Amino acid sequence: MGGFDMESLVDATAGAIGSLASTTILYPLDTCKTKYQAELRTPNLRKYRNLSDVLWEAISTRQVLSLYQGLGTKNLQSFISSFIYFYGYSFFKRLYVERSGYRSISTKANLLIAAVAGACTVAITQPLDTAASRMQTSDFGKSKGLWKTLSEDSWEEAFDGLGISILLTINPAIQYTAFDQLKQRLLEGQLGNPQSLSALSAFLLGAASKCAATCLTYPAIRCKVMIQSAESSEDTEEVKSRKTVSGALYAIWNKEGFLGFFKGLRAQILKTVLSSALLLMIKEKITKSTWVLFLGIRRFLFLSRSRLKSS
């Protein structure tokens, strides 16, 4: 395993571990947010007036543990997608620098590389993302397992929202490009040229970059949640008509008006900013430890091979 691949692998592993930790910590908030976003009713008929109503429903019906429904699937999807994304992002960045001969990457090139890495990730992990959304938006206590959720529908339905998910790759592209640019400027301005950010700096930069990306792409995020949400027993035909981008856009405009495209924005910002900030903070802090671990494994494997050849 050469230095080129080793660095990409370390970056991917650290990012995946950070994603796993942040997803688990914030999962109840994610469930409340997703159920709140998925509801589409006129203002006077809404079941959830605000985010806290979802939490209160879980408490009043004694289904608090249902706030964790789909956690295993979400963690699996989060770990795999983060590993693929960070590996691809690191790999394509190094490939670009090596082939172009430039010492640094322009903002446009960084955005393109991040979008390509995101598109590859989405294409592979979309069925897990769809299953996790359906499990989260199911009635409390009635969520099905991963296999049952996927096997009930066709493979085509497992890829519901793929087009809009690919479009939303601009979200992490904006986020990580902003984070990298801010990080680079911050490190260059510090005395002694430190190699890594402090935990607080990484948290704040992660929060700022994700907030900007979320605000810019939120209408598409809400459409994606609606497309992937579990079907209810009521208004079946109407619910099915929302399973396309145009159908979701029309339904939001028809029932909630222009402001409906931004329903749940504060909840989305709260969840995703905290999640991304935690992810990047954890990733920054464990990258060095991950390097030591991988070097130790490589040294162990090298010594084992040497002993086998000499015996």
Side-chain angles (χ1 to χ4, degrees):
M1 186 184 297
F4 185 95
D5 286 334
M6 172 68 88
E7 187 155 345
S8 296
L9 188 60
V10 168
D11 207 41
T13 303
I17 293 171
S19 178
L20 193 67
S22 65
T23 298
T24 302
I25 292 168
L26 298 172
Y27 196 75
L29 174 61
D30 188 36
T31 298
C32 291
K33 171 201 71 74
T34 304
K35 286 181 75 69
Y36 180 64
Q37 288 173 320
E39 184 187 40
L40 182 66
R41 296 184 182 181
T42 52
N44 58 325
L45 292 175
R46 281 180 186 167
K47 181 180 180 182
Y48 305 126
R49 300 285 174 181
N50 48 58
L51 194 67
S52 60
D53 288 345
V54 187
L55 177 62
W56 177 245
E57 181 190 14
I59 294 171
S60 62
T61 57
R62 298 181 181 180
Q63 295 286 349
V64 177
L65 290 180
S66 292
L67 290 171
Y68 291 91
Q69 60 192 26
L71 175 60
T73 301
K74 194 74 171 181
N75 270 338
L76 180 62
Q77 184 263 336
S78 180
F79 186 88
I80 293 173
S81 62
S82 291
F83 185 91
I84 295 170
Y85 181 84
F86 280 109
Y87 186 90
Y89 183 62
S90 178
F91 180 86
F92 290 133
K93 266 208 313 185
R94 291 185 161 274
L95 190 64
Y96 175 84
V97 171
E98 188 181 75
R99 295 287 175 85
S100 67
Y102 297 133
R103 291 186 178 180
S104 60
I105 301 175
S106 67
T107 302
K108 287 182 180 179
N110 212 341
L111 274 169
L112 180 61
I113 290 167
V116 170
C120 293
T121 302
V122 165
I124 295 170
T125 61
Q126 185 68 18
L128 289 174
D129 188 32
T130 300
S133 291
R134 287 181 182 164
M135 292 162 82
Q136 282 185 305
T137 53
S138 296
D139 292 336
F140 284 131
K142 296 183 180 180
S143 175
K144 300 163 187 173
L146 171 59
W147 178 248
K148 194 168 183 180
T149 300
L150 288 175
S151 61
E152 276 187 341
D153 301 314
S154 65
W155 273 105
E156 184 181 347
E157 289 173 299
F159 283 89
D160 273 349
L162 178 60
I164 205 164
S165 293
I166 291 175
L167 174 65
L168 281 169
T169 55
I170 192 65
N171 186 297
I174 294 170
Q175 177 198 354
Y176 293 121
T177 299
F179 181 83
D180 279 350
Q181 297 296 320
L182 291 170
K183 174 185 172 182
Q184 186 178 342
R185 292 183 182 183
L186 188 62
L187 291 177
E188 286 174 353
Q190 291 180 0
L191 296 174
N193 294 320
Q195 296 301 308
S196 63
L197 295 171
S198 67
L200 178 60
S201 295
F203 185 92
L204 292 175
L205 291 190
S209 58
K210 189 60 179 181
C211 185
T214 300
C215 290
L216 289 171
T217 59
Y218 187 73
I221 291 171
R222 173 128 200 250
C223 284
K224 177 174 175 283
V225 171
M226 286 180 54
I227 290 169
Q228 293 181 321
S229 64
E231 292 183 11
S232 62
S233 56
E234 46 187 60
D235 297 327
T236 305
E237 288 302 319
E238 186 183 344
V239 168
K240 285 183 178 179
S241 70
R242 303 174 198 159
K243 296 302 180 180
T244 62
V245 177
S246 59
L249 288 170
Y250 175 76
I252 293 172
W253 177 265
N254 189 43
K255 290 209 167 187
E256 298 177 347
F258 177 74
L259 292 179
F261 292 110
F262 295 92
K263 178 191 172 187
L265 176 60
R266 285 182 295 179
Q268 181 76 26
I269 288 177
L270 176 64
K271 184 267 168 182
T272 53
V273 166
L274 287 176
S275 176
S276 297
L278 280 171
L279 186 159
L280 292 169
M281 181 180 72
I282 295 167
K283 178 178 173 290
E284 285 289 319
K285 292 291 102 183
I286 68 174
T287 296
K288 188 174 180 180
S289 301
T290 308
W291 258 112
V292 173
L293 176 63
F294 273 91
L295 288 173
I297 292 171
R298 190 169 71 166
R299 181 173 175 77
F300 173 76
L301 292 174
F302 177 77
L303 290 173
S304 298
R305 284 180 190 172
S306 299
R307 287 171 185 169
L308 286 171
K309 286 180 180 178
S310 61
S311 60

